[in-house]
Amino acid sequence: MHDFHYVGKKLFCEDVSVESLAKKFGTPLYVYSQRTLARHFLSLDRAMAGVDHLVCFAVKSNSNLSVLRVLAQLGSGFDIVSGGELQRVIQAGGEPGKCAFAGVGKTEGEIEFALRKGVYTFNAESEPELERINRIAARLKKTAPVAVRVNPDVEAHTHKKITTGTYENKFGVAFEQVEAVYARAARMRNLHLRGVQMHIGSQITQVQPFEQAVRKTLPLVARLKARHGLEFFSIGGGLGIVYEPALESGSPEWWKSAAAKNILTPQKYADKLLPLLKPLGLRVLMEPGRFISGNAGVLVTRVEYVKRTGKKHFLIVDGAMNDLIRPAFYDAYHEIVPLVRRNGLLVKTDVVGPICESGDFFCHDRPLPRLCAGDALALLSAGAYGFAMASNYNTRPMAAEVLVSGRKAALVRERQATEEIWSGEQVAPWLK
Ligand code: LLP
């Protein structure tokens, strides 16, 4: 459930008309609902209340400082994958002691920084990484808390670019090798074996792959706990969200419908996993990104041109694949709705951006109301991996971001000035 809905003909985010934000702050514009962020965090946190747990928001899905602050104030931990993300969390008021540092390629500099700040755990993905962490910790006269990421080799049944828990993927340590790796790590003097971690993929819409991965890993985790006195088991992120019909999924009525019966909810997730996890007696960590931020954000864009060719009806908008790459990259579906609702016939429409690539599209042949130049649209469920994956391709400035809470709205990231894009560049001396 989320807080984007029509009031009369106008699309609102909480109690603010989205068109008023588009007028005030310009487009393309990301708009986030604080209430949705909080509701999604709390629904998962409460569903897991039966065990000692920590929800670590995956910063990679949305790293805006205000978004992180909202979650930090609710007590969230953070799943981070770079020194930069740790700096952001600290800047936003989050606690390093609630951060899990993941990723296959942690650099010396990043490890040292995270050690000095006191992260809760380094989730190591290989033996050379454990050796590196141990070496740096020794140099700093510290003990580094670590967990090894187990690759459980289960199929997550999601898009291949976001499947991470099979042996085709670069992630984690193969299930069969994990115990030997722990045994060797136990002999590294500056490591504290704190936990064990896994993550099988993203946008997983059924509970079955999670259950299968937990069931498969549990005996191993129990053995590791007995042998090394572990403290936590991180079951990763990956909870999927509703992309279609995104707008209806904002209403409580829709959640009572038959269509909603199949949707993965925190309750279903907890009902299946808690009975398995409880007897283990370990603290449970989760690393959800999309589940918390996905439905909490939209990308607002305005129609520049309507172009009809013999075959197609195009809406050429001012947002592009540099602002939201998910359709181009994963063929992802984002529901598209006008900010002012229109009645009348639907027209099969391609919504495309101005970038010089055919991949720069938001939808193909989608039935949409007939719109004109100047009308604005919202791409729903764009709060996760939207702005976070934006780039300056085609020398397009990064979009602005706004956070809404009730009747209040604030610019939480200003639109990038065009000159900022090349501010770090210089002309080579021999060209001057
Ligand atoms: N933990 C680890 C170790 C991860 O690699 C990820 C995501 C997460 C947690 C959070 O997953 P989530 O709960 O958000 O599904 N850009 C893609 C998604 C990439 C996910 C990468 N890893 C997309 O737009 O669909």
Side-chain angles (χ1 to χ4, degrees):
M1 274 207 280
H2 57 79
D3 293 86
F4 294 89
H5 50 267
Y6 283 111
V7 177
K9 284 187 173 319
K10 289 186 173 169
L11 186 72
F12 272 62
C13 172
E14 302 194 15
D15 305 324
V16 178
S17 119
V18 179
E19 179 68 40
S20 71
L21 298 174
K23 286 211 173 96
K24 185 161 178 196
F25 300 109
T27 52
L29 179 73
Y30 274 95
V31 177
Y32 306 123
S33 156
Q34 179 167 339
R35 203 186 287 156
T36 308
L37 282 169
R39 183 185 307 112
H40 285 201
F41 171 83
L42 291 172
S43 66
L44 186 56
D45 197 39
R46 287 183 186 138
M48 297 299 286
V51 286
D52 178 19
H53 69 279
L54 180 65
V55 177
C56 296
F57 173 65
V59 174
K60 65 169 85 66
S61 71
N62 189 320
S63 56
N64 182 279
L65 291 181
S66 287
V67 168
L68 300 183
R69 172 73 63 107
V70 167
L71 295 165
Q73 286 181 348
L74 293 170
S76 182
F78 297 95
D79 166 51
I80 55 170
V81 289
S82 67
E85 286 193 352
L86 177 55
Q87 277 177 270
R88 269 187 182 276
V89 168
I90 295 169
Q91 188 69 27
E95 294 170 40
K98 286 185 174 176
C99 284
F101 192 173
V104 294
K106 302 176 191 76
T107 65
E108 297 251 347
E110 287 177 321
I111 292 168
E112 176 164 346
F113 176 61
L115 256 175
R116 288 189 191 281
K117 291 296 173 189
V119 294
Y120 178 67
T121 172
F122 289 88
N123 293 339
E125 306 228 14
S126 66
E127 232 170 313
E129 183 189 331
L130 286 167
E131 285 158 10
R132 179 181 273 188
I133 297 171
N134 184 51
R135 223 172 28 244
I136 297 170
R139 173 160 56 75
L140 300 181
K141 301 195 171 36
K142 285 182 180 287
T143 305
V146 296
V148 170
R149 175 169 177 175
V150 179
N151 184 329
D153 198 26
V154 298
E155 187 43 67
H157 303 295
T158 181
H159 193 282
K160 78 172 185 333
K161 284 189 185 155
I162 52 177
T163 293
T164 55
T166 78
Y167 289 172
E168 291 297 309
N169 309 122
K170 67 182 173 186
F171 301 102
V173 171
F175 191 82
E176 297 75 18
Q177 295 165 10
V178 169
E179 283 180 277
V181 170
Y182 270 85
R184 287 193 286 274
R187 291 197 287 273
M188 298 184 201
R189 291 197 156 182
N190 292 74
L191 298 186
H192 162 206
L193 301 181
R194 180 168 251 178
V196 52
Q197 192 260 359
M198 71 174 174
H199 172 78
I200 56 172
S202 194
Q203 184 53 16
I204 300 169
T205 52
Q206 300 298 319
V207 78
Q208 185 272 337
F210 293 111
E211 187 188 351
Q212 191 190 346
V214 168
R215 276 190 194 280
K216 178 166 180 187
T217 321
L218 269 181
L220 170 71
V221 177
R223 285 198 299 279
L224 292 171
K225 180 193 171 201
R227 216 168 290 153
H228 303 289
L230 306 184
E231 175 181 310
F232 77 89
F233 177 26
S234 173
I235 55 174
L239 280 101
I241 60 165
V242 178
Y243 281 99
E244 188 184 3
L247 198 64
E248 282 90 332
S249 76
S251 76
E253 292 73 44
W254 186 82
W255 281 93
K256 288 182 208 137
S257 72
K261 294 267 183 312
N262 262 329
I263 306 293
L264 178 60
T265 60
Q267 205 50 55
K268 287 186 199 165
Y269 177 82
D271 286 348
K272 266 282 184 280
L273 300 185
L274 280 188
L276 302 175
L277 294 167
K278 236 182 181 165
L280 199 59
L282 287 175
R283 183 180 203 203
V284 176
L285 262 59
M286 282 149 292
E287 305 161 0
R290 189 189 320 259
F291 176 75
I292 292 173
S293 58
N295 289 136
V298 302
L299 172 62
V300 183
T301 179
R302 216 174 266 288
V303 179
E304 293 283 349
Y305 299 99
V306 178
K307 177 170 171 177
R308 289 184 196 92
T309 63
K311 259 190 135 158
K312 288 277 196 178
H313 180 83
F314 291 105
L315 291 182
I316 302 172
V317 296
D318 62 2
M321 66 190 285
N322 75 299
D323 301 301
L324 179 66
I325 203 172
R326 302 193 68 260
F329 207 36
Y330 312 108
D331 283 316
Y333 179 98
H334 286 269
E335 190 168 339
I336 300 178
V337 297
L339 297 197
V340 181
R341 187 148 50 174
R342 292 282 174 89
N343 296 325
L345 282 183
L346 302 180
V347 191
K348 275 193 179 169
T349 306
D350 281 31
V351 177
V352 299
I355 284 183
C356 307
E357 295 218 24
S358 299
D360 182 27
F361 71 94
F362 292 132
C363 69
H364 290 309
D365 291 326
R366 182 147 347 142
L368 289 179
R370 202 173 271 282
L371 296 172
C372 309
D375 288 341
L377 300 167
L379 286 110
L380 304 184
S381 315
Y385 308 106
F387 188 92
M389 292 179 82
S391 76
N392 285 129
Y393 189 37
N394 278 209
T395 304
R396 290 171 49 85
M398 298 287 209
E401 294 173 286
V402 165
L403 182 70
V404 171
S405 174
R407 292 174 189 283
K408 295 182 293 217
L411 187 65
V412 292
R413 178 179 170 120
E414 60 191 31
R415 187 172 306 285
Q416 191 178 26
T418 306
E419 314 76 60
E420 267 179 60
I421 299 176
W422 58 80
S423 64
E425 296 178 32
Q426 48 203 320
V427 173
W430 63 88
L431 296 175
K432 283 185 183 156

